[in-house]
Amino acid sequence: MKYLYSPLTLTKMTSTNLYHHFHHIDQNLPLLPPAVEWLLPFQEYQEAEPIFQTFLERFYADTTPRTLVLGINPGRFGGGITNVAFTDPQRLEEELGIANPFPKKPELSAQFVYAVIRAYGGPEVFYQRFFLNSVCPLGFVKHGKNYNYYDEKPLQNAVLPLIKTHLEGLIHNCNMRRDRCICLGEGKNADFFQALNAQEGYFEKIISLPHPRFVMQYKRKRMEEYVERYLAALD
């Protein structure tokens, strides 16, 4: 490992640093392969940025170190609209109390994640210890459907500098812990992230869990079992 965890001494609240990080993340983006398009909530929805700022001020107005929980990349019905990871407009309003004008179309991943958050003790308890986000901070669509950064090699190569900038910004500027990181996705996301971590030394340990969408799409009848598995990893 190149680095070991040591808490940062911040002069600003974590909320301020996170806002600054994401305020600039969608600038100077690389060109994408043909037919692949960015999901850029701050550019596409004028409400997204103040909503995200409200979320940060509510849950991150302190300097407590958090453990990162990283998915793949935002989807078009959740973080791709709200910029709050794994949080669709319905969960944003009903679970977090943040009113928003977006259509209340549910997202499968958000349904599972908030089942975990409720079981953990609720948003205030959960967000005091964790920051939910993604390996790639911005999402993609191809032919109108969600697309993952690893779905084709040219896309993965194109966004690799963005991924590195994102992870390094969270670690060095946003008070994220480095003793462990939780990866959501046990297949390609985990493989990519583990390999990158071995190269760059971001975290001492990465714990992989089944992706929320996988659980909801293929293992819904065993949802409670998977919630317990998440709780054990988060503890």
Side-chain angles (χ1 to χ4, degrees):
M1 303 289 288
K2 293 182 180 179
Y3 307 104
L4 294 178
Y5 165 67
S6 60
L8 290 172
T9 301
L10 297 182
T11 57
K12 296 180 180 178
M13 295 292 186
T14 299
S15 56
T16 302
N17 293 331
L18 284 169
Y19 176 80
H20 180 80
H21 176 78
F22 286 95
H23 183 71
H24 294 285
I25 204 73
D26 61 358
Q27 299 176 13
N28 301 314
L29 295 173
L31 292 175
L32 300 181
V36 181
E37 302 175 66
W38 291 102
L39 291 173
L40 303 172
F42 286 176
Q43 295 185 27
E44 295 173 17
Y45 307 102
Q46 64 179 3
E47 303 88 354
E49 193 163 350
I51 284 171
F52 182 60
Q53 188 171 14
T54 298
F55 166 76
L56 294 177
E57 290 173 350
R58 184 168 298 180
F59 296 107
Y60 294 94
D62 55 55
T63 57
T64 303
R66 263 74 167 191
T67 296
L68 278 169
V69 181
L70 299 178
I72 302 166
N73 45 246
R76 69 192 193 280
F77 297 130
I81 297 175
T82 66
N83 205 66
V84 180
F86 292 100
T87 305
D88 58 31
Q90 182 177 342
R91 247 51 54 176
L92 188 68
E93 195 158 296
E94 295 178 359
E95 303 280 356
L96 303 183
I98 301 176
N100 65 87
F102 303 125
K104 303 305 183 287
K105 187 177 180 66
E107 183 189 56
L108 284 177
S109 293
Q111 292 178 53
F112 178 78
V113 164
Y114 276 88
V116 172
I117 289 174
R118 287 193 300 273
Y120 192 80
E124 289 79 8
V125 176
F126 179 84
Y127 288 124
Q128 183 68 19
R129 291 192 61 193
F130 301 98
F131 182 66
L132 270 172
N133 209 250
S134 302
V135 171
C136 185
L138 298 171
F140 314 93
V141 291
K142 186 172 184 178
H143 305 306
K145 296 183 179 181
N146 283 337
Y147 208 55
N148 298 319
Y149 73 85
Y150 53 65
D151 282 339
E152 57 178 90
K153 199 68 174 179
L155 175 59
Q156 181 176 303
N157 291 339
V159 300
L160 179 58
L162 172 67
I163 290 172
K164 289 183 176 181
T165 297
H166 173 53
L167 295 173
E168 290 163 10
L170 290 176
I171 290 168
H172 295 298
N173 302 325
C174 299
N175 205 18
M176 298 298 156
R177 296 176 57 163
R178 303 180 66 175
D179 54 341
R180 67 171 183 154
C181 178
I182 296 172
C183 174
L184 304 186
E186 295 180 305
K188 293 180 179 179
N189 195 39
D191 291 345
F192 170 87
F193 193 26
Q194 291 279 8
L196 181 61
N197 190 61
Q199 175 183 323
E200 301 294 336
Y202 295 136
F203 305 100
E204 293 181 50
K205 177 172 64 174
I206 294 176
I207 301 167
S208 297
L209 290 169
H211 193 275
R213 184 171 183 85
F214 169 82
V215 176
M216 296 299 285
Q217 191 166 352
Y218 300 107
K219 305 291 183 181
R220 190 187 289 249
K221 292 182 179 179
R222 297 168 55 193
M223 181 175 169
E224 291 185 7
E225 174 187 330
Y226 281 91
V227 168
E228 290 299 322
R229 183 171 170 183
Y230 265 61
L231 293 178
L234 294 170
D235 190 22

